[in-house]
Amino acid sequence: QVQLVESGGDSVQAGGSLRLSCVVSGYSNSRNCMGWFRQVPGKEREGVAAGLAGPYSPFATYYSDSVKGRFTMSQEKGSNTVYLQMDRLKPEDTAMYFCAAGGPSAGSRCLSRVNEYDYWGQGTQVTVSS
């Protein structure tokens, strides 16, 4: 049984930092995208960061324009944990953040193909106040 468990969400002031964690169990296919998505009520879920490892290549990461340069996704070597380091947070980053696995196998689709992810966590809330 595949499980994804996110943690690390909190309330912070603008300019602050948070690190989200996602522990994945029952799944180890690195050939498919893993991603971080966020959603606010009334809006569609959007991809903010995704990663994809090839058989001979390191973990390649992809970011949406809205978070590029502020967010960093990483994968802990030898473990099934992925992180999202979020720096210089803005009020517009306020959302429920979800970790997902089993996404597309092409990096160019990791962020945009939300419906192609097979496994999702329950989400962790990030609130950024001005």
Side-chain angles (χ1 to χ4, degrees):
Q1 183 183 358
V2 178
Q3 279 193 317
L4 287 77
V5 180
E6 304 98 332
S7 62
D10 205 344
S11 296
V12 296
Q13 291 208 323
S17 297
L18 284 174
R19 188 174 83 155
L20 305 184
S21 300
C22 174
V23 179
V24 183
S25 58
Y27 181 85
S28 60
N29 185 356
S30 61
R31 303 278 189 98
N32 292 85
C33 301
M34 291 194 66
W36 285 97
F37 295 80
R38 66 187 182 189
Q39 189 169 25
V40 296
K43 288 195 174 181
E44 291 187 354
R45 195 168 292 190
E46 65 162 335
V48 296
L52 181 64
Y56 307 109
S57 58
F59 192 64
T61 50
Y62 308 87
Y63 301 96
S64 68
D65 289 343
S66 61
V67 307
K68 200 173 292 182
R70 300 188 298 119
F71 289 13
T72 305
M73 181 175 179
S74 61
Q75 184 179 46
E76 187 174 314
K77 253 188 176 181
S79 85
N80 284 335
T81 303
V82 292
Y83 302 98
L84 184 67
Q85 177 67 40
M86 305 187 295
D87 298 318
R88 302 197 305 278
L89 282 160
K90 303 176 181 180
E92 51 263 44
D93 295 320
T94 295
M96 183 72 78
Y97 283 73
F98 298 89
C99 175
S105 57
S108 60
R109 300 156 68 103
C110 286
L111 285 176
S112 60
R113 304 301 178 106
V114 179
N115 293 332
E116 293 185 17
Y117 282 78
D118 292 327
Y119 308 105
W120 292 85
Q122 81 290 347
T124 187
Q125 178 67 37
V126 172
T127 303
V128 184
S129 58
S130 56

